[in-house]
Amino acid sequence: MTLEPAHKADRKPVYLAVYDTLADWETGHTTAYLARAGHEIRTVGLSGDPVRSVGGLRIQPDVTLDDVRPEDAALLILPGADLWDTGDELAPFARKAREFLESDVPVAAICGATAGLAREGLLDDRAHTGAVSFYLAATGYKGGDRYVETDAVTDGRLVTAGPTEPVAFAREVFALLGVYEGEVLDAWYRLFHDSDAQAYEILEAAGQ
């Protein structure tokens, strides 16, 4: 299914962070439909060395983190990974997220990446969600009163979601970037989240 995006003005690359143990299932809807909307998806690693996802996929980064500038990007996506909870190896990605947000460029974080942002202090003053509230509370962050019990949250230029909500995560990103809107955005979500056959008809009509 191919849909034309609602807006075509900004087609800067979208940067997908890649690192060992990244959760394959969390960002596929997002990147696939951003690519169909005309965004180049570029993988970014700490170095140029290949990484391997939790599902065993070998990924060769397109660029290194030091080479990514917010002004040249439409979005930074941070997937979950075991490494977010086993040390500070992925902390540079959270610091890069700070650069993006301070430059008013969107960031989308899911699962363990939300803990990385919490440790960086980026969730202290923003509404957010994640896997579960006590998971983020264990980071010692100060944003517990801004935690929202829902599938995905957008606050300003930041999207957050838990590991079981890749479709809601994608929906929030599409809305933030203006890729799909209104009835079409709702239909896309209902098709992929609820297997609503009637939603398919709406998307087909929009594609024509």
Side-chain angles (χ1 to χ4, degrees):
M1 179 185 302
T2 301
L3 283 172
E4 288 296 317
H7 300 296
K8 297 182 179 181
D10 182 2
R11 284 296 169 268
K12 293 179 179 180
V14 168
Y15 287 92
L16 172 66
V18 295
Y19 21 72
D20 286 330
T21 73
L22 77 87
D24 311 61
W25 66 90
E26 293 177 345
T27 60
H29 291 85
T30 304
T31 55
Y33 278 84
L34 286 177
R36 285 189 165 185
H39 287 282
E40 178 189 5
I41 309 299
R42 308 196 73 190
T43 54
V44 52
L46 282 174
S47 72
D49 296 335
V51 299
R52 196 167 294 276
S53 75
V54 73
L57 297 181
R58 183 180 184 274
I59 303 169
Q60 178 70 53
D62 295 315
V63 296
T64 63
L65 192 61
D66 287 342
D67 292 330
V68 174
R69 302 191 308 168
E71 59 267 32
D72 298 328
L75 172 72
L76 174 65
I77 302 174
L78 300 177
D82 295 343
L83 289 181
W84 283 111
D85 298 317
T86 58
D88 296 329
E89 183 177 346
L90 301 187
F93 288 98
R95 291 194 291 271
K96 183 63 69 172
R98 177 179 291 281
E99 289 182 32
F100 268 62
L101 294 172
E102 289 178 348
S103 299
D104 199 34
V105 180
V107 172
I110 186 168
C111 189
T114 62
L117 298 190
R119 295 184 188 98
E120 183 64 20
L122 296 175
L123 304 185
D124 289 350
D125 301 311
R126 294 178 172 91
H128 60 276
T129 192
V132 68
S133 60
F134 57 78
Y135 168 66
L136 291 181
T139 68
Y141 83 133
K142 301 176 181 178
D145 60 340
R146 303 300 305 273
Y147 187 89
V148 183
E149 292 284 357
T150 192
D151 51 6
V153 171
T154 299
D155 187 334
R157 308 300 277 172
L158 177 65
V159 173
T160 52
T164 61
E165 298 295 343
V167 180
F169 181 68
R171 177 196 62 200
E172 296 300 304
V173 170
F174 300 158
L176 183 59
L177 296 187
V179 172
Y180 307 131
E181 298 178 329
E183 182 184 42
V184 174
L185 179 64
D186 178 67
W188 185 92
Y189 178 76
R190 287 190 289 113
L191 178 64
F192 287 98
H193 189 267
D194 303 324
S195 300
D196 186 341
Q198 292 182 336
Y200 183 81
E201 297 176 4
I202 296 172
L203 294 179
E204 281 292 284
Q208 295 172 6

